[in-house]
Amino acid sequence: MEELQNALWSFVKGFMSFAVVLIIGALVVKIALIPVKKLLLKSKIDLTAKTFLYSIIRVVFYGIVVITALGTAKVDITSLVTALGAAALTAGLAFQDTLKNFVSGMIVLFNKPIAAGDLIRIEDIEGYVDNIKIFYTQIHTFDNRIVAIPNSKLTTNNVINCSSAGTRRIDVKFSVSYEDNLSKVKSVVYDVIADIPQVIGEPEPKVYVSKHLDSGVEIFAMIWVKQEDYYPVKFRLIEDVKNAFDENSITIPYPHVMLANKTEK
């Protein structure tokens, strides 16, 4: 009976110690997180990274409190840490892709190769970045689709950020007949470009003869516009050049196939 009473008293003292340390520690963490939150809000880190980092710090602080409380209650922390480590290792093996996306998400959030609102192109997907989450990034495409791209693809594939420089170059190719006067062709293309107000004057537009094709000559036009004007100006340029070629009797050739007649013996 005396041993039972001692064991019970020891359990009560341990539980009380655990409860007291846990309550006091929780209050201390709550107070300590206030300046941490203010510091993060003042920083220039992306909002998504701020939220995630605050959550990590919060979990670490409360984890320290729980471990301290268990130590005060004379719980074998070594065995507990070993068990948690084994569980973490098993979970890591089971969720390798998830962990890869997590690490890639942290790289994207803190290195900032892209940010929310940027126009990016990855593989055959092009659209605006809606938000960057811990495991995936949401892209809003031009045809109003929401595409979730695993963050690991953003760190292992080539990602083109079309918004980072503010301006983009439009490259358009046209074909004309070998019989057409190339100086006149280039002059007509320059006139069309000059009529488009969104075209930036510096760097100045360029029009070159770029290639001799099987059925004609290739004309290569390069103009600069603001990022948001890229597609409207590109499509207008293609249409206006076609109309200007028609007005100036400039021929756009099409492939010709020569068929040889064979005489049967």
Side-chain angles (χ1 to χ4, degrees):
M1 182 63 70
E2 184 177 352
E3 290 180 359
L4 181 61
Q5 289 177 347
N6 290 336
L8 184 61
W9 175 241
S10 177
F11 172 77
V12 171
K13 286 196 299 181
F15 179 78
M16 290 179 63
S17 300
F18 174 79
V20 169
V21 173
L22 194 63
I23 293 171
I24 294 175
L27 292 174
V28 172
V29 169
K30 192 173 183 180
I31 295 171
L33 285 174
I34 295 175
V36 171
K37 189 174 184 178
K38 290 181 179 179
L39 187 63
L40 286 173
L41 289 174
K42 289 180 181 179
S43 68
K44 297 181 180 180
I45 305 173
D46 186 80
L47 181 60
T48 308
K50 290 178 184 178
T51 305
F52 178 74
L53 192 58
Y54 178 77
S55 301
I56 293 293
I57 295 173
R58 189 168 177 269
V59 170
V60 170
F61 280 8
Y62 278 113
I64 293 173
V65 170
V66 171
I67 292 174
T68 305
L70 289 172
T72 306
K74 296 182 179 180
V75 175
D76 189 0
I77 300 176
T78 305
S79 300
L80 181 62
V81 170
T82 303
L84 289 175
L89 180 61
T90 304
L93 293 173
F95 298 99
Q96 290 184 41
D97 291 339
T98 302
L99 289 175
K100 190 188 298 182
N101 288 327
F102 169 78
V103 174
S104 298
M106 298 311 302
I107 293 173
V108 172
L109 285 171
F110 288 102
N111 287 344
K112 287 189 172 182
I114 61 173
D118 285 351
L119 176 63
I120 69 168
R121 183 187 304 151
I122 175 171
E123 296 177 341
D124 59 343
I125 300 171
E126 183 172 357
Y128 290 94
V129 178
D130 269 354
N131 52 64
I132 304 170
K133 298 184 180 293
I134 300 304
F135 298 111
Y136 63 91
T137 294
Q138 283 188 344
I139 306 297
H140 196 163
T141 64
F142 293 115
D143 54 353
N144 203 29
R145 293 180 297 168
I146 303 296
V147 182
I149 301 176
N151 286 331
S152 59
K153 285 194 172 185
L154 298 177
T155 55
T156 56
N157 290 20
N158 292 327
V159 180
I160 301 174
N161 190 331
C162 303
S163 301
S164 56
T167 58
R168 293 182 67 180
R169 194 182 77 185
I170 297 176
D171 297 340
V172 180
K173 298 175 182 179
F174 307 99
S175 296
V176 297
S177 171
Y178 277 108
E179 286 74 28
D180 289 315
N181 185 298
L182 295 181
S183 297
K184 179 182 178 182
V185 170
K186 291 171 65 177
S187 176
V188 169
V189 176
Y190 273 121
D191 289 342
V192 171
I193 293 172
D195 288 336
I196 302 177
Q198 294 95 332
V199 176
I200 297 173
E202 185 62 37
E204 63 181 12
K206 297 290 184 182
V207 180
Y208 298 105
V209 176
S210 59
K211 191 182 296 184
H212 292 165
L213 305 173
D214 291 338
S215 56
V217 179
E218 184 179 86
I219 306 298
F220 187 38
M222 299 183 295
I223 60 175
W224 290 85
V225 295
K226 292 181 179 179
Q227 183 272 127
E228 60 269 21
D229 294 329
Y230 181 84
Y231 283 105
V233 172
K234 181 177 182 178
F235 296 142
R236 176 179 173 178
L237 178 63
I238 294 172
E239 180 179 351
D240 288 357
V241 166
K242 170 62 170 65
N243 293 331
F245 281 0
D246 291 343
E247 292 172 1
N248 289 272
S249 301
I250 296 172
T251 305
I252 298 178
Y254 54 87
H256 292 78
V257 179
M258 300 296 292
L259 299 177
N261 294 323
K262 292 184 178 181
T263 305
E264 294 184 3
K265 295 182 179 180

